[in-house]
Every structure is written in structure tokens, then in C-alpha cells.
Amino acid sequence: MLKERIRSWVPNSFTFGNLFCGVIAIVYAARGDFSNATLLIIIAMMLDSLDGRLARMLGVAGDFGKELDSLADVVTFGVAPALLAYYTFFIDYGNYGLFFAALFPLFGAYRLARFNLSATNVTASYFSGVPITAAGGLLAVVTTFGDRVSELLTPIFFTGLALLMVSRVRIPSFKEVPLQRHSFIITVSLVYLTYMIFARWKEWPSFWFIAVPFYILFIAFSFVKKRKSMAN
């Protein structure tokens, strides 16, 4: 019994780590430290992609983990990216900007609720609408580029991603695509890392000492899983 509880808390600890990163990202965004806030959301994307896999690997997948994951996702990939977008762009528009920014987590929560309740919302090959993890991660990275590109990019991405989350557009789930499921997260991480190195090398976020080792472990885990799946 004790061993089963310990096994069940292994994937849940990753989910709590996701939520913890989201809360801290919100605080950093409020302080104006957008680089660290974005980095924390990227770390949370890695944690979010691992908790479900660990639960299935350990045979402890269940409703509790599913609901906990959804609650964490609303905070980390809904509220945190929305605040990043607000502080980097929408704040100039007063209450209108605040109300508009608040729509992102609302759309994300709706998408998660629909996903959890509808057994037909996802097939072996497709998701119905963009997952909130992908939408929130992309929005966070886009806000980092906000001062380097047109001011129109942030609201366009914000609106497009919010609408795609609640849409019925079929998005490949990557289960039958000849790429690892982690490829999207790795790509986002590499884009952000490359940008920070070449564009903001004097503003390295303090969370790099967490992100870089975790990123290496993340790639190693992905590689081992791929080798095992190919062997089977």
C-alpha cells in the first residue's frame, strides 16, 4: 500500500512542479523579469510532458492525476502567459487590455474542460483544438520577442492561439508522426535558448542553472524512451 502511494506521487510531483513553476512565473512577470518567467514556463512544459508518461509507466494513471494536471495547466499555461502578454503589451491599453488578456486563461480552461469530458475530443491521431500547453508556451516565447518585432505580433498570436484552443480544428497529436512527442518542446526550448544567447547575452536569467541540467536530462529521457520503444 505504501509502495503504491509512493509510486503514485512520483508523477504527481512533476505535476506539482509544473504548478510551482507557473506560480513563480506569475510573480516574475509581475516584477518585470520576463526572461525568467518565460524560462519557468518552458521548464513547466517539460514537466507537464513527463507526468502522464511516468504515471502510465508506473501503472498509477488515474482521475486524480488527470484533474490535478488540468488545474496546474490553467495556472501555468493559461494565467502565466496571459500576464506576460499583459505586462509586455496589453498594459498600455488600461482596463481594456486587462480584460482582453484575461480571455486567454478562460479559453484555456474551456478547452481543458471539453477535453476532459468528451471521450471523442481526441483520437489516436488528432487533438480537437490546440492544447493549452502548446498555446501557453508559444505565447510566452512570443512575448520575449516583443521588443524585437512588430507590435502587432503579440496581439495576433494571442488572439489566434486563444481561438485555436476552443476551435474544432484537428491538430496532430504526434502519435503517428515520425517525430518524438517531445520534439515540439525541445524546439521551443532551443529557439528561446538561441535567442537569449545571441540577442540578450547580457541578460541571462538566473534560472538557467535549473533549466540547462533539466534540459539535458529531458533529452536523455526522450532518447532512452525512444530506444526502448524501438527495441519492443
Side-chain angles (χ1 to χ4, degrees):
M1 187 71 175
L2 178 61
K3 185 182 293 186
E4 184 177 344
R5 286 185 177 180
I6 294 174
R7 287 204 341 252
S8 67
W9 276 101
V10 170
N12 288 340
S13 65
F14 280 73
T15 306
F16 281 120
N18 166 11
L19 179 58
F20 180 81
C21 286
V23 173
I24 302 301
I26 291 172
V27 175
Y28 272 97
R31 291 178 178 176
D33 191 347
F34 307 128
S35 296
N36 265 322
T38 299
L39 183 59
L40 282 162
I41 292 173
I42 292 175
I43 294 174
M45 291 176 68
M46 299 177 187
L47 293 170
D48 182 67
S49 71
L50 292 175
D51 56 4
R53 286 176 176 268
L54 285 171
R56 291 187 291 272
M57 185 188 307
L58 297 173
V60 292
D63 291 337
F64 177 83
K66 179 181 177 182
E67 297 303 323
L68 180 64
D69 184 67
S70 295
L71 292 172
D73 286 351
V74 170
V75 175
T76 304
F77 307 112
V79 178
L83 285 176
L84 270 172
Y86 171 72
Y87 285 119
T88 57
F89 181 81
F90 295 115
I91 194 171
D92 294 332
Y93 298 90
N95 287 334
Y96 293 107
L98 177 61
F99 296 153
F100 193 70
L103 293 177
F104 193 83
L106 295 182
F107 282 32
Y110 175 83
R111 198 272 175 193
L112 283 169
R114 188 182 67 187
F115 176 84
N116 289 341
L117 289 176
S118 177
T120 60
N121 189 54
V122 61
T123 68
S125 303
Y126 294 96
F127 290 118
S128 178
V130 173
I132 188 174
T133 305
L138 281 173
L139 180 61
V141 172
V142 167
T143 61
T144 304
F145 291 86
D147 60 343
R148 303 273 174 171
V149 295
S150 171
E151 290 186 354
L152 292 176
L153 184 63
T154 299
I156 289 175
F157 261 82
F158 183 96
T159 305
L161 290 171
L163 293 177
L164 283 172
M165 280 195 294
V166 298
S167 72
R168 295 287 182 177
V169 176
R170 298 205 301 178
I171 307 296
S173 65
F174 300 106
K175 293 180 181 178
E176 296 181 1
V177 177
L179 292 171
Q180 286 182 270
R181 184 172 179 265
H182 300 310
S183 297
F184 171 78
I185 302 169
I186 292 173
T187 301
V188 171
S189 302
L190 284 176
V191 168
Y192 183 71
L193 176 61
T194 303
Y195 171 71
M196 291 303 301
I197 290 175
F198 290 101
R200 299 193 174 200
W201 62 273
K202 293 182 179 180
E203 304 174 21
W204 283 78
S206 58
F207 274 96
W208 279 120
F209 75 94
I210 296 176
V212 172
F214 190 83
Y215 181 73
I216 294 172
L217 290 174
F218 184 76
I219 295 177
F221 176 84
S222 302
F223 179 76
V224 171
K225 287 292 293 180
K226 183 178 182 180
R227 290 292 297 272
K228 285 185 177 180
S229 63
M230 290 177 65
N232 295 330

